[in-house]
Amino acid sequence: MKRFKKYLLSEINIEFKACLYFFAFLFYVCCCLFFANGETTVSMLHMAEIILATYCMGYLQVFLLDNFEEAEQLTPRYVIYMLLCSFVYATLDYLLGWTFHSIALAVGFFFYSLLCYLCVFLIYKLRRTFESEQLNNDLMSFKNQLNQEEGNE
Amino acid sequence: MKVTIEKILTGQDELIIRCKEETPLIRQIMTLLDESTGKIYVLKEKEKHLLPPSQILYLESVDETTYVYTRDDIYVYPASLSSFEGLETPEVFFRCSKSMIINIRYVERLKSLPYNKIDAELTGGEHVIINRHYAATFRELLRGGKS
């Protein structure tokens, strides 16, 4: 049961990230299609490929790459992981033709996914900073309550 | 074990334990008795001490031995962490991992860590990590007041 719970937590985390990156990448692909060809629709096949790619990459990130976006600090190792994942996405973009097999747009995809990773890293970091503030406020209130109770006794 | 109860009419109540060696059962009896005085029975270099719970920073279980950390000393608690959890003390102790219990009074600062863990900085600068499994309960405890 404990293992299943652990697996379920990881799965939720992976699926959340897959959806997050899917929509971010879909936005990039939509922009490319619109500005290059004036197209306003994206192929269902390409969308399926993007979600599958982000889902598989989620597994890779969580189980092999130390879940680097949630790391406390951006160490050189994590920067390499970010570069590596962005490179994989850009390669997939080029090979699967999400943005017309264009090298320039694939390079753009590389920098865009790198930016996405950085943003996600910063969002997690910011969230932890706010959480720490909240935790310390709660701790202070808790201690004050304890002291009050002792004073009453 | 032979138990003898002697009724007295005057003087202070007294309890003498006669034993060849301190077995876990005898240690448990001593711990139980010390609960009533509000102090914890601990050992340091085979010497027995009575420690007020308010002096305890945290307890840690290492290789089936429970260590009690105060600001200046380290003692051995002659029972398990679970049995300590069952004690009635005026302090608020929190089980922050399988092998550790902290006294919340001595938590100076908290920091949210990745993967829902919490880093608790204790008086004296020691850092204790509250596992993800226990962090949710810890947050509830802080928000809900003394449980």
Side-chain angles (χ1 to χ4, degrees):
Chain A
M1 191 63 191
K2 215 174 173 182
R3 273 189 179 178
F4 177 71
K5 228 174 157 180
K6 205 176 168 187
Y7 161 76
L8 202 66
L9 276 170
S10 303
E11 186 61 30
I12 291 167
N13 195 16
I14 289 164
E15 284 181 20
F16 167 74
K17 282 184 189 176
C19 291
L20 181 78
Y21 289 116
F22 167 73
F23 282 108
F25 296 158
L26 187 65
F27 176 73
Y28 178 82
V29 172
C30 283
C31 286
C32 289
L33 290 176
F34 181 74
F35 289 113
N37 275 6
E39 287 179 37
T40 52
T41 53
V42 179
S43 149
M44 285 287 283
L45 180 69
H46 283 171
M47 288 207 291
E49 285 167 356
I50 295 171
I51 189 76
L52 194 68
T54 54
Y55 186 69
C56 293
M57 200 64 100
Y59 263 94
L60 196 76
Q61 281 170 218
V62 169
F63 293 112
L64 285 178
L65 305 178
D66 302 339
N67 214 356
F68 57 85
E69 313 111 300
E70 291 185 47
E72 182 62 16
Q73 279 179 328
L74 205 58
T75 58
R77 189 162 63 122
Y78 294 143
V79 174
I80 291 170
Y81 289 163
M82 275 186 188
L83 291 168
L84 184 78
C85 290
S86 300
F87 178 75
V88 171
Y89 278 130
T91 309
L92 284 173
D93 167 46
Y94 179 72
L95 293 176
L96 299 171
W98 298 340
T99 52
F100 331 105
H101 302 283
S102 152
I103 289 182
L105 290 176
V107 171
F109 201 108
F110 172 80
F111 287 109
Y112 179 74
S113 58
L114 200 61
L115 183 73
C116 288
Y117 278 129
L118 281 171
C119 288
V120 172
F121 170 78
L122 287 173
I123 287 165
Y124 274 117
K125 204 171 169 59
L126 206 64
R127 197 185 85 169
R128 286 198 300 273
T129 309
F130 293 147
E131 267 180 11
S132 297
E133 267 176 36
Q134 183 63 47
L135 274 171
N136 284 306
N137 288 340
D138 290 342
L139 178 70
M140 284 287 281
S141 319
F142 185 82
K143 280 183 173 178
N144 288 340
Q145 195 186 330
L146 270 184
N147 292 337
Q148 264 181 0
E149 277 175 23
E150 272 181 7
N152 292 340
E153 280 165 20
Chain B
M1 190 197 291
K2 191 181 157 194
V3 179
T4 311
I5 299 174
E6 213 177 287
K7 283 192 177 172
I8 51 166
L9 296 171
T10 53
Q12 214 180 13
D13 288 350
E14 187 183 20
L15 199 132
I16 299 165
I17 299 172
R18 281 203 192 92
C19 58
K20 286 181 194 125
E21 59 176 334
E22 277 185 27
T23 59
L25 178 68
I26 288 168
R27 282 182 192 158
Q28 270 186 333
I29 293 168
M30 289 167 85
T31 310
L32 204 71
L33 288 168
D34 294 331
E35 269 182 54
S36 57
T37 62
K39 289 181 178 172
I40 309 291
Y41 163 66
V42 288
L43 300 164
K44 191 186 174 190
E45 290 158 9
K46 292 184 182 174
E47 270 183 42
K48 297 166 200 97
H49 297 263
L50 282 175
L51 194 68
S54 58
Q55 284 186 15
I56 299 174
L57 263 72
Y58 66 97
L59 293 97
E60 191 179 22
S61 174
V62 180
D63 297 331
E64 294 182 10
T65 306
T66 309
Y67 295 96
V68 177
Y69 294 82
T70 63
R71 277 189 200 202
D72 313 307
D73 275 308
I74 300 170
Y75 301 91
V76 170
Y77 180 62
S80 68
L81 274 184
S82 306
S83 66
F84 181 85
E85 270 187 307
L87 298 182
E88 285 282 332
T89 66
E91 295 298 299
V92 182
F93 287 96
F94 179 77
R95 182 78 172 248
C96 63
S97 68
K98 264 186 189 174
S99 60
M100 204 176 259
I101 291 176
I102 53 169
N103 186 346
I104 297 184
R105 194 183 293 276
Y106 289 108
V107 176
E108 290 290 320
R109 215 164 290 113
L110 294 166
K111 190 179 176 191
S112 178
L113 291 182
Y115 323 117
N116 281 328
K117 289 178 189 171
I118 297 172
D119 172 42
E121 190 185 330
L122 303 180
T123 310
E126 292 211 46
H127 287 259
V128 171
I129 303 295
I130 302 174
N131 285 349
R132 182 170 67 181
H133 182 69
Y134 298 91
T137 321
F138 185 67
R139 285 188 172 99
E140 265 175 45
L141 176 69
L142 292 186
R143 282 172 197 160
K146 194 177 174 178
S147 61

